[in-house]
Amino acid sequence: MNITHAVNGKFGQYGGQFVPETLMPALAELESAYAAAIADPEFTAEFDWLLKTYVGRESPLTFARRLTDHLGGAKIYLKREDLNHSGAHKINNALGQALLAKRMGKRRIVAETGAGQHGVGTATACALLGLDAIIYMGTVDIARQQPNVYRMKLLGAEVRPVESGSKTLKDAINEAIRDWVTNVDSTHYLLGSVLGPHPYPTIVRDFQSVIGREARRQILAAEGRLPDVLIACVGGGSNAIGLFQAFLDDESVAMVGVEAGGLGIESGKHAARFADPDRARVGVLHGTRSYVLQTADGQIMETHSVSAGLDYPSVGPQHALLRDVERAGYTIATDEEALEAFHLLSRLEGIIPALESAHAVAEVIKRAPKMSKNDIIIVNLSGRGDKDLDTVIKLTADSHQPSAKN
Amino acid sequence: MTLKTIESTFTRRPAFMPYIPLGYPTPAASLDAVRAVVAAGADMVELGVPFSDPLADGQTIQAATQRALENGVTVETCLQMAAQLRAEGITVPFLLMGYLNPFLAFGLENLTAAAARAEIDGFIIPDLPPEEADEMDALCRTRNLALVYFLAPTSTPERIALVAQKARGFIYLVALTGVTGARNQLSDTLPQFVARVRAATNTPLAVGFGIGDGAQARQVAQFADGVIVGSALVKRMAKSTAAVRALAEEIAGAVHSL
């Protein structure tokens, strides 16, 4: 079983191309254009140059001294994707695909967004490269991510509200795909996670895998050895795969993906595709075969998470394979645990994480104390939390006053 | 002899092939709509199975199938409704049309067996291109059911050849680059698209997406073997069965006059 690359568009039994015929030629065109682009030194040089001079890569690997001392176990390093221009790992993929679209002669870009980070990343890349950006966003997400909506508009993007279904990320993807079906000749669909039909899970993974390549080099420089555990949150799973990919062949390195446990598995109000066998089974959503939260009748379930970026009923196909073959383990953090982690990291390290990334930090809080002081954890701090302040203020009015002692 | 029934539909004259979302606006009303289009002269009926995330559909069918879901309609219910129509003596071919995931949840083997029992003649699954259809294709062959593939204006010569080789029953040609829904005008390039596919296969060609009235249906019937009408009928379903029947008669008359 090849866990590092798709074979005939599939990761084991997962992945594939379950899309209407109208899009099949576009996927073939995208696949060949992508293969040509990454074989072209000019393309890769331009991408690398923009990552360095525009995104600000490489992003630091920060030793979290006070968090490490507080938890009293493993040494904790933070991979600082929150310091990227536009505030999250999403820009890596958005820039890569926008360059690819431009090379393909497609000047109109459509994208979906949940938390708004991918929408902001896409709007940013399109502004930089002079492309038209149309961002689909569910009205529930628009309400809870206002700062990012405003950011996208400032960057020249058109934000189209989506009223259908659960009015969150999955519905935004439906609308983006409908737009793409209608305008496929002129338009590139800039999908934001390792989801959707082949070749998207591969393209997005490749553009994000700079995270793990840097982290591997940085930890070897800092500690002279590989880490014991990698931890990242998993919505679609692009920041997690971005960190994991460069370490897949390093057998000593364990990997943990953290799904949104919402109000708890029993409540049914969560987005934990791997942790809830009663509600999540292998199925097909948005062009790819993977684990899908669905009813017994095969209707897609509405999910819940405090973090919009994890609020999605399916998960990237490569994660499904990594989980089946036990190369990576998957666990959950609840809304409450994520909020606690959000506050703890803010107070101990001076770093306000995105609520998505706070799910990964919550797993660090559980795991680090049980590990030896010689062990090393790298956690992907996939984004910064400025966008979440409204949500957090509302949710923690009673419990976590900012003035509270640590 | 279910696949044969579909194939023989196209031999005499162009076929009128309405799409009726089961369960909309109510299960009983959707059965009435099927009866009405058959009485009006439909040669085959596509029975729509609802899905929560219909990404190839425009707003009319999205809203209708959403309502059907709210009415509790499932794959199981759809099979029962088809069986009921058969028991009443309706003999035109029935095709179940729906997205893949509810069918997967039902189990493809169970589904094809149950469909054969309900005297359904085949399946149309918009998110199941031939590359992903091996299992369903084999199960349908075993039961002598049609599995209908699509071609679109964007399809390359290679894809036309692939679908031509795999197709049984008929090929569903998407009349426009877009989602379902009635449009004011047909695409200028539709005749050339149909001719391109015609040059590659003898399988009957049915055209759907964007066809909403008798005049458009007559235009399409001049060069296609079947005319599929969905959203325009669905809009009438919101009004009354009589309104469905009136439009179906207009379209059937136009298609069959050729």
Side-chain angles (χ1 to χ4, degrees), chain B residues 55-145:
Chain B
L55 51 77
D57 285 305
Q59 290 191 354
T60 303
I61 294 179
Q62 282 177 46
T65 52
Q66 183 60 39
R67 172 73 84 81
L69 284 177
E70 287 158 11
N71 290 337
V73 172
T74 64
V75 173
E76 180 78 52
T77 336
C78 291
L79 290 163
Q80 287 164 3
M81 292 168 87
Q84 185 181 336
L85 292 164
R86 284 288 185 240
E88 294 170 14
I90 294 177
T91 57
V92 298
F94 285 157
L95 290 145
L96 278 192
M97 179 160 187
Y99 293 85
L100 182 59
N101 200 61
F103 293 151
L104 287 176
F106 195 86
L108 297 183
E109 186 147 16
N110 285 343
L111 176 71
T112 46
R117 278 199 302 277
E119 295 178 64
I120 285 161
D121 302 275
F123 291 91
I124 305 175
I125 308 175
D127 56 348
L128 189 66
E131 284 86 344
E132 303 289 355
D134 286 352
E135 184 188 0
M136 188 60 178
D137 202 85
L139 288 165
C140 284
R141 278 173 193 275
T142 307
R143 303 275 178 189
N144 204 20
L145 301 167

Side-chain angles (χ1 to χ4, degrees), chain A residues 226-240:
Chain A
L226 291 169
D228 299 281
V229 186
L230 308 174
I231 298 176
C233 65
V234 180
S238 70
N239 90 79

